[in-house]
Amino acid sequence: MTRSTDVVEAYKEYVVTSCVSRVEPVVVTSGSGAVVTDADGRQYVDCFSGISVVNTGHCNPKVVEAAKKQLDQLLHACAYVYYLEPVAKLAEKLAQIAPKGLKKTFFSNSGAEAVECGIKLARKFTKKHEILALQRSFHGRTFGTLSVTGQAGRRSYSMGPYLGSIAFAPTPYCYRCPLGCEYPNCGIQCAKMIEDTIRYSTSNDVAGFIAEPLLGEGGIIVPPEEYFREAKKILDEYGILFVADEVQTGFARTGKLFGIEHYDVTPDAMCFAKAIAGGLPLGACTATEEIANSFQPGDHLSTFGGNPVSCAAAVANIDFILEEDLPSRASKSGEYVMQRLEELKDRHELIGEVRGKGLMIGMELVKDRETKEPASRETARIRELCRQKGVLVGHGGVLGNVLRIQPPLIISQEQLDTAIDSVDQSFKEVAER
Ligand code: PLP
């Protein structure tokens, strides 16, 4: 049997971990549904899903079966050199479920690559060059995607300078409105500022606006319901494409199949990864036929993009999401969790705000509800205490003070109760210290 200490020692010696503040001290050896098991046989209720990936549960049997079948048949041939059936099937399925008009898909391996594709398509199609993004956004770790990421903390100065021709609009973040406004009496100034950003921070040569329907890594920030409608009006006026980064919000996570559906807006292109293939690596960028066809030979390619095993798994994964109506399930479970967390807020002063949609939920922790001073250390401590109690939650946000609850969407109410009780108990323990 694997000894956890051996794995940790080998990590220390041979795996680059200096790029993260720490690796959680759990050697995960197996997973099933909403539970993972470590090398010592200890079980944990997983409320982070490998950063919002295993929406259909760990080792979903339908996904595993499809991947195994494909493994026996063909591992690789390259989707851009030969025709591959799983690629064709998945592309057709994405065209069926994506918002109307989005039809053609380019496949890659990761979220960052999917976003790179969206940015390249916007530039190629519009023949313009600048990109508009949001402050506090996160779009990946490649050079291009870091350049459109609105977080100084992730754009390390020592690796810069980053790409130019990128402008950032204010975050639609009501709890800490950057414009000092208060929703709903604000006239959605944050959306209106998109126009100011175009007019005063660009050369009016903007190809695309890239944005997450809910900002995940930024701290589970939920833009007001009018935001993207207002934004799209402005973008259309200036001939700017809207590229929705659904890498974290896609595939039922927020209680809709795609996060942008909450906003009654159709983007011009969408980027997918994370939950698309139930845990196998795959990225995808789906656009209208006209936009997608603007790529000419030589403009884009990926050796592994559209790997047949990942694509076969993705088809089974999406079928499961539709057959089990996971959007509704995430929505109902999410309402239940939010209601219980709101009750915790009444008891624990540290909780500044509970927010989210579906099972993409964040709790922003503050030392003082008036000043909203971030309680980052306490957030890390609560995550640690939860882990000790057998519950894995996420920790994030630009200020490091957001607890993230993003479990597999098939999680049972009993497992959710276990998780919330542990969160509750952890808050008590932190308050008593
Ligand atoms: N876009 C969003 C919204 C993300 O949350 C992430 C990852 O967290 C990415 C892009 C990058 O995805 P990947 O890590 O697969 O490159």
Side-chain angles (χ1 to χ4, degrees), residues 51 109-113 115 138-141 212 214 216-217 245-249 273-274 404:
I51 322 189
N109 306 284
S110 65
E113 286 173 89
V115 171
F138 180 75
H139 298 292
R141 298 289 192 164
E212 305 155 79
L214 273 74
E217 301 304 301
D245 180 347
E246 291 269 3
V247 168
Q248 192 158 153
T249 46
K274 287 197 189 281
R404 294 167 62 178

Side-chain angles (χ1 to χ4, degrees), residues 322-334:
L322 299 175
E323 281 158 22
E324 299 294 320
D325 194 6
L326 287 195
S328 302
R329 185 157 170 180
S331 180
K332 280 193 205 107
S333 302

